[in-house]
Amino acid sequence: MTTIDYEKLYVDGSWTAPESGQRIAVHSPTTEELIGSVPEGTERDIDNAVAAARRAFDDPAGWATWTPARRGEALERFAAALEARGAETARRVTIQNGMPLWLAMNFEAGFPAMLVRYYSGLVQAGIEERRQGMLGKQSLVIREPIGVVAAIVPWNVPQAITFLKLAPALAAGCTVVLKPAPETVLDAFMMAEAANEAGLPPGVINVVPAGREVGAYLVQHPGVDKVSFTGSSAAGRSIARTCGELLRPVTLELGGKSAAVVLDDADLLQNAESFFASTLLNNGQICWLGTRVLAPRSKYDSIVDTIAGLASSLRVGDPLDETTQIGPLVSQRQRDRVESYIEKGKSDGGRLVAGGGGRPAGRDKGWFVEPTIFADVDPNATIAQEEIFGPVLAVIPYDDEDQAVAIANGTDYGLGGSVWTADPQRGAAFARRVRTGTVGVNGYVNDPVSPFGGIKASGMGRELGPEGLVAFQTVKTVYLDEPNS
Ligand code: NAD
């Protein structure tokens, strides 16, 4: 099999030699074979990338000073170049992290270009507002780009998450240093090729793949004005400490342990596809999944049977096969972690009703884990409190809606969630009571127009929607010497 290899980094608008000979090797989670490699960025590479982004931002006639319409033309070229590479980008994500290809075509192929166009349009709709004053004169409120952005992303949905940051940042007039996760670099280099083809000015986008130490170096770099991070809560806390000390604006999209609350009138079988998409999508490796399923005691046995049946019927296999519903986990490390949670679930007295044996039959290669459902889980048990990030659900019984709300709200996290019911109004009423950043009724889909993000240990700030643009802008007021009109 031919591998995908890059020799240079995309910095300052061109492919440039890295500062060291270190490399990141990428292995297929399905076959464990080597599938590609790229240079591993070092602190010196980060220095070069930040300097390039700084020059591009500070250029008195540069990107940040262009009109939104002029930036919009360049961003349209970028969106078209991304779209042209969509299918290959999706394939690269699948072979790197195990995301089923049909899902990668959904999340990773088209979403980036959609977001670039959405934010370009939002900025063109206006970044200045004239206000009539209460003290007699007018003022002008201007939204300016916040500066050089450090964007640090994880491997689970790498391109969509990258563009939650890049699309609003670029539209606002910021310049970016992107640090992809070492597990998913080949898609990031494809994105850099699109930026290069679109002719974005040098330094507007720079890509330096590396591990966490180099990521931490980027966060504290004196040339950075804003940090936008998606990843684990542990890393988020460390980044928040650094940014707190520096008084550096930061957006944190972190982990989750969301509740999928089944009300007593729900028909899960009728909603089986949405329920799967809200709880086990991407092999269980999405931050907002409802991995705690809360089921009413009045219908408990039949709900447990339905979920166990659903999980057991899922097709586990090669993520490039279009019928596969559950692919492998991203790495051996991740599988070890998930398997240790399954063992913990067993020793804590959870009742296994599906999976739990670890490896699916016939899969001796690859980082596969059987979809696993525990019933009768104590809401305070480890597998009901900690993020597992694999195809493992904990079903927890409840007596009434008040108790369901208390259990749903009873974790350190607050990112996603869902409510399942025959009555959408009842679902919306229940959704209001859940302490979380986002929650869906009979499904969960991140619509680009509405903000996404978490509370508590799930993070700070919002992405998507107009709120996701504000994160990359500062607000300047000019008190005009002009009387009210
Ligand atoms: P991780 O925190 O280990 O790594 C994420 C990224 O941050 C990687 O690029 C990594 O190299 C970098 N990094 C790690 N520590 C860093 C530090 N101290 N300073 C700077 N950079 C650092 O997370 P992971 O295991 O790769 O990803 C899975 C986690 O991400 C899960 O907890 C998941 O819930 C979370 N996640 C959250 C969202 C969201 O939007 N809330 C989306 C996807 C994933």
Side-chain angles (χ1 to χ4, degrees):
M1 185 188 141
T2 54
T3 56
I4 304 168
D5 300 288
Y6 288 84
E7 303 305 324
K8 294 186 169 171
L9 296 173
Y10 189 68
V11 171
D12 205 11
S14 60
W15 294 96
T16 55
E19 294 283 349
S20 93
Q22 289 164 234
R23 296 191 63 80
I24 294 172
V26 187
H27 289 86
S28 159
T30 311
T31 65
E32 303 176 27
E33 286 167 8
L34 182 72
I35 53 172
S37 68
V38 302
E40 178 170 6
T42 59
E43 294 185 358
R44 294 272 311 283
D45 294 307
I46 292 286
D47 289 340
N48 296 339
V50 172
R54 190 77 264 161
R55 275 193 305 277
F57 186 80
D58 294 338
D59 179 349
W63 181 252
T65 70
W66 289 12
T67 61
R70 186 173 172 201
R71 277 201 301 272
E73 285 168 19
L75 290 174
E76 178 48 42
R77 291 197 303 275
F78 187 32
L82 290 166
E83 241 165 15
R85 289 164 175 78
E88 173 59 9
T89 300
R91 193 189 71 86
R92 286 190 183 189
V93 170
T94 293
I95 62 172
Q96 290 174 107
N97 75 358
M99 178 186 292
L101 184 60
W102 55 266
L103 182 60
M105 287 301 293
N106 219 331
F107 277 178
E108 305 282 86
F111 203 54
M114 184 196 287
L115 289 182
V116 169
R117 292 191 174 115
Y118 169 64
Y119 279 109
S120 175
L122 264 190
V123 172
Q124 290 181 56
I127 49 172
E128 290 191 8
E129 187 193 338
R130 211 168 243 275
R131 294 191 189 165
Q132 303 296 311
M134 293 178 77
L135 304 177
K137 287 186 180 178
Q138 301 183 48
S139 35
L140 197 58
V141 179
I142 309 172
R143 294 194 174 275
E144 299 183 337
I146 201 165
V148 172
V149 172
I152 300 179
V153 297
W155 44 262
N156 62 333
V157 195
Q159 282 305 298
I161 291 175
T162 293
F163 278 88
L164 296 180
K165 305 174 188 320
L166 254 62
L170 297 175
C174 297
T175 60
V176 180
V177 176
L178 171 72
K179 194 208 77 64
E183 293 84 350
T184 44
V185 287
L186 305 176
D187 53 300
F189 278 68
M190 185 124 232
M191 185 280 286
E193 288 172 1
N196 199 31
E197 180 184 295
L200 298 185
V204 168
I205 294 182
N206 309 273
V207 182
V208 183
R212 57 188 53 187
E213 289 78 17
V214 172
Y217 180 77
L218 172 60
V219 166
Q220 60 76 51
H221 201 288
V224 166
D225 298 307
K226 155 94 194 188
V227 176
S228 182
F229 173 79
T230 298
S232 60
S233 297
R237 279 183 218 281
S238 154
I239 290 168
R241 270 194 296 275
T242 303
C243 291
E245 186 57 35
L246 294 169
L247 296 178
R248 179 166 293 172
V250 59
T251 299
L252 299 169
E253 298 286 358
L254 309 176
K257 190 74 191 178
S258 303
V261 183
V262 184
L263 300 184
D264 56 13
D265 61 351
D267 183 348
L268 279 193
L269 273 181
Q270 204 193 342
N271 279 309
E273 216 168 290
S274 299
F275 189 76
F276 164 72
S278 307
T279 55
L280 287 164
L281 202 65
N282 199 25
N283 322 329
Q285 298 174 136
I286 306 183
C287 49
W288 48 252
L289 289 172
T291 51
R292 296 181 293 144
V293 180
L294 277 49
R297 278 196 207 279
S298 58
K299 301 275 174 62
Y300 186 68
D301 290 342
S302 88
I303 291 170
V304 168
D305 284 351
T306 301
I307 296 171
L310 176 70
S312 306
S313 71
L314 291 173
R315 284 181 298 275
V316 182
D318 184 342
L320 288 169
D321 180 339
E322 63 185 24
T323 65
T324 291
Q325 289 162 299
I326 299 281
L329 300 186
V330 67
S331 62
Q332 183 166 16
R333 182 176 69 109
Q334 189 65 17
R335 184 177 66 177
D336 289 349
R337 179 186 147 96
V338 171
E339 286 181 348
S340 75
Y341 274 114
I342 292 174
E343 289 312 309
K344 182 78 181 135
K346 289 181 195 167
S347 63
D348 281 353
R351 177 166 60 99
L352 265 179
V353 293
R359 316 282 158 86
R363 288 276 158 199
D364 48 352
K365 274 259 158 59
W367 317 126
F368 291 92
V369 171
E370 278 184 312
T372 296
I373 311 294
F374 283 98
D376 309 347
V377 177
D378 183 303
N380 296 316
T382 303
I383 60 161
Q385 288 290 325
E386 296 186 11
E387 184 178 52
I388 299 175
F389 232 54
V392 182
L393 302 182
V395 185
I396 302 169
Y398 69 84
D399 293 318
D400 57 28
E401 282 193 23
D402 286 347
Q403 192 188 24
V405 169
I407 296 171
N409 295 344
T411 74
D412 290 342
Y413 295 108
L415 184 57
S418 54
V419 191
W420 301 84
T421 169
D423 176 356
Q425 309 287 321
R426 187 180 170 202
F430 188 92
R432 288 174 186 272
R433 301 182 66 192
V434 185
R435 294 259 307 138
T436 186
T438 56
V439 52
V441 179
N442 292 330
Y444 182 101
V445 178
N446 297 128
D447 193 295
V449 304
S450 298
F452 166 77
I455 60 170
K456 303 194 281 184
S458 292
M460 305 193 299
R462 291 293 178 269
E463 295 184 319
L464 292 176
E467 293 81 359
L469 176 63
V470 171
F472 296 100
Q473 293 172 319
T474 56
V475 181
K476 179 192 281 176
T477 297
V478 182
Y479 304 113
L480 296 168
D481 185 16
E482 295 176 33
N484 286 339
S485 56

